[in-house]
Amino acid sequence: MNVLILGSGGREHAFAWKIAQSKLLNNLYIAPGNAGTANCGTNVNIAVTDFEAIKNLVWEKDINLVLVGPEDPLVKGVHDFFLNDDVLKDIPVIGPKKDGAQLEGSKDFSKQFMQRYKVPTAQYATFTKETLEQGCQFLESLKPPYVLKADGLAAGKGVLILNQLQEAKEELKSMLLEAKFGNASSKVVIEEFLHGIELSVFVLTDGISYKLLPSAKDYKRIGEGDTGLNTGGMGAVSPVPFADNTFLSKVEERIVKPTIEGLNKEGIDYRGFIFIGLMNCGGEPYVIEYNCRMGDPETEVVIPRIESDFLDLLVGVGNQCLEEKVYKTSENTATTVVLVSGGYPEDFSKGYEISGLNEVKESLVFHSGTKFEGEKVVTNGGRVFALTSFGNTIESAAKKSFSSAEKIHYTNKYYRRDIGRDLINFF
Ligand code: AMP
Ligand code: GLY
């Protein structure tokens, strides 16, 4: 088979690394990819939302399956584009159509969906500029902290958590009246704050059956001890010690099954990943959000723990025969530590030469923001690498990732030295 992966981050490198090991694979293409994905297949410099260019590539390279990494092309309808095109319509796209991608593309849609199918989530209400006054009154009825969410995609920045009522009202006004997050905040979801510990579970579905992929915990803040600004993710651990079998079976019964059934009832043919952001509130799971894709850096710990042929699973998704496919995961713990460019998630410089990659022996090196400049590999993004290691314990895996992090060099390198620390003595 010839496979095309859309995307350019650590998530896509982890996909490419895994798919490159499949017996079913002939040629692998990654668009646009990065300096790491170039070791697993051929990079093609096409933007993930340039559907016409993707079509030409699929045609030219005789691609048999397309795996979509990020949400943007899904929300913009790349899967629908394939289905509506005579040349492309029989080529499986892994990732939902526009209708299913709304689970991530619209918070209001996803909250209504959860309500319809009784999926446990925080109480909420949605407001527009016409109902701003009611929004302020609703805030008055809640206890702090106040959670305000822009309805649409806002590059991971559309959620505000505020301690003061007055500040929450000001922000609501700014989102609705001044388009703080552009069109994404023309509707705002206000919800109850959930107290608990966060984790994510990932589901791979062909629309009928599903496989529950390993759970993971992401470290979102830039600073150690979960301080400072939110990032795309600074590290991850899988499995999550507080997601034991009892908890996971609650997740499956109360959340995963109703979600798949709900999609079916709505006539949404969903083939791809559902990333379920959860809060564990005293042992009870609540959904914080759905995403229509895998997480980054969660993928870099989830995918390496899958022992079966990942491409074969994707074929099962495309052909709706996932139930028949073998799915096995490793018992080992995986940790990943993300190396970033100093300044990230605010302004940072790119183009610094990277050295030491060949010195890393104990970890998988997944590239995020890198590119080739001639023969050299240089930094090309905020998140630069995700270093994934295995161990019998979180501590032993994380130790390898930290030691690998010291072997890679570039100007203004930064990483969190506490990934997994909060979980080591969890019990
Ligand atoms: P989201 O984009 O919906 O995942 O929200 C971003 C982050 O805000 C989440 O990862 C949580 O840390 C936090 N968050 C969102 N909703 C809530 C909530 N209802 N209660 C507590 N924290 C929340
Ligand atoms: N790491 C969080 C995300 O991919 O959205």
Side-chain angles (χ1 to χ4, degrees):
M1 289 181 68
N2 298 326
V3 175
L4 170 63
I5 299 175
L6 298 181
S8 62
R11 167 180 52 208
E12 287 75 21
H13 188 187
F15 283 151
W17 167 82
K18 187 70 183 167
I19 289 174
Q21 298 166 37
S22 170
K23 288 197 195 72
L24 302 175
L25 185 76
N26 293 329
N27 296 306
L28 178 61
Y29 299 90
I30 308 96
N34 60 40
T37 60
N39 292 322
C40 311
T42 307
N43 288 344
V44 186
N45 196 12
I46 289 177
V48 294
T49 49
D50 187 346
F51 297 169
E52 286 297 333
I54 293 168
K55 174 178 172 173
N56 291 336
L57 178 69
V58 166
W59 180 242
E60 197 181 300
K61 303 295 182 191
D62 195 16
I63 301 291
N64 310 108
L65 181 138
V66 180
L67 169 58
V68 186
E71 64 280 15
D72 207 23
L74 294 169
V75 173
K76 293 203 166 102
V78 67
H79 195 155
D80 311 69
F81 176 84
F82 270 63
L83 290 173
N84 292 330
D85 187 292
D86 279 343
V87 174
L88 304 177
K89 66 177 189 306
D90 294 324
I91 298 167
V93 175
I94 309 305
K97 293 180 278 122
K98 257 185 175 175
D99 55 3
Q102 282 184 96
L103 280 185
E104 173 163 6
S106 166
K107 301 264 187 212
D108 182 40
F109 173 85
S110 72
K111 294 294 286 191
Q112 287 191 35
F113 179 90
M114 287 184 250
Q115 239 178 12
R116 277 199 292 280
Y117 301 103
K118 302 195 169 37
V119 172
T121 188
Q123 293 302 317
Y124 83 104
T126 302
F127 301 93
T128 60
K129 65 173 185 292
E130 288 75 28
T131 54
L132 173 63
E133 263 320 300
Q134 287 95 310
C136 289
Q137 283 162 15
F138 184 66
L139 282 170
E140 284 170 14
S141 74
L142 298 174
K143 286 200 217 78
Y146 304 96
V147 183
L148 267 51
K149 299 185 171 184
D151 174 57
L153 291 183
K157 299 198 171 81
V159 175
L160 301 178
I161 298 184
L162 305 153
N163 289 316
Q164 306 298 333
L165 178 62
Q166 199 46 39
E167 202 188 356
K169 288 184 179 175
E170 294 300 324
E171 289 292 356
L172 179 66
K173 279 185 199 142
S174 150
M175 286 166 96
L176 290 174
L177 301 183
E178 290 148 32
K180 179 173 175 131
F181 299 108
N183 201 28
S185 64
S186 59
K187 274 192 211 168
V188 174
V189 167
I190 301 180
E191 67 180 39
E192 164 203 14
F193 185 87
L194 296 171
H195 295 270
I197 320 172
E198 268 184 88
L199 74 151
S200 299
V201 299
F202 303 90
V203 177
L204 180 63
T205 180
D206 60 2
I208 303 168
S209 71
Y210 65 88
K211 308 279 187 207
L212 199 57
L213 304 182
S215 62
K217 182 177 190 290
D218 178 18
Y219 290 78
K220 288 200 165 87
R221 302 292 195 91
I222 188 71
E224 288 171 18
D226 289 330
T227 53
L229 293 174
N230 256 330
T231 69
M234 296 295 291
V237 173
S238 176
V240 182
F242 57 83
D244 56 13
N245 285 340
T246 312
F247 181 79
L248 287 177
S249 62
K250 288 180 188 170
V251 171
E252 206 165 347
E253 293 306 318
R254 296 178 196 172
I255 296 169
V256 177
K257 287 183 183 167
T259 299
I260 306 277
E261 278 165 26
L263 288 167
N264 268 304
K265 283 195 185 130
E266 311 243 327
I268 296 176
D269 178 5
Y270 194 112
R271 303 190 197 187
F273 298 97
I274 311 176
F275 162 165
I276 308 177
L278 292 173
M279 192 71 88
N280 177 338
C281 303
E284 307 303 323
Y286 288 82
V287 176
I288 294 178
E289 63 165 352
Y290 290 114
N291 293 306
C292 61
R293 53 173 173 88
M294 283 296 291
D296 192 349
E298 293 92 330
T299 305
E300 292 94 303
V301 287
V302 168
I303 293 294
R305 290 192 55 230
I306 297 178
E307 287 177 342
S308 8
D309 185 330
F310 181 57
L311 181 53
D312 193 34
L313 289 169
L314 298 182
V315 168
V317 172
N319 298 339
Q320 282 198 316
C321 60
L322 183 61
E323 190 158 24
E324 295 162 18
K325 300 293 181 187
V326 179
Y327 169 63
K328 223 174 141 249
T329 55
S330 135
E331 296 283 308
N332 270 345
T333 289
T335 59
T336 201
V337 170
V338 176
L339 306 190
V340 305
S341 300
Y344 173 80
E346 297 185 285
D347 289 346
F348 56 86
S349 301
K350 299 195 245 190
Y352 295 121
E353 185 172 353
I354 296 162
S355 63
L357 290 175
N358 292 332
E359 307 302 314
V360 178
K361 308 283 184 222
E362 289 186 308
S363 308
L364 297 165
V365 180
F366 294 122
H367 291 229
S368 297
T370 67
K371 66 171 188 182
F372 282 112
E373 212 170 71
E375 297 284 286
K376 289 191 285 190
V377 178
V378 301
T379 63
N380 191 39
R383 293 192 289 175
V384 184
F385 295 104
L387 306 176
T388 297
S389 317
F390 285 104
N392 292 325
T393 61
I394 293 174
E395 202 164 13
S396 64
K399 203 167 154 201
K400 291 180 197 164
S401 291
F402 296 135
S403 127
S404 300
E406 282 307 303
K407 298 196 165 95
I408 296 177
H409 304 285
Y410 56 85
T411 305
N412 293 340
K413 176 183 77 178
Y414 169 76
Y415 64 95
R416 274 181 63 168
R417 292 168 165 79
D418 67 343
I419 302 301
R421 192 185 292 162
D422 56 327
L423 300 177
I424 290 171
N425 297 316
F426 193 78
F427 289 113

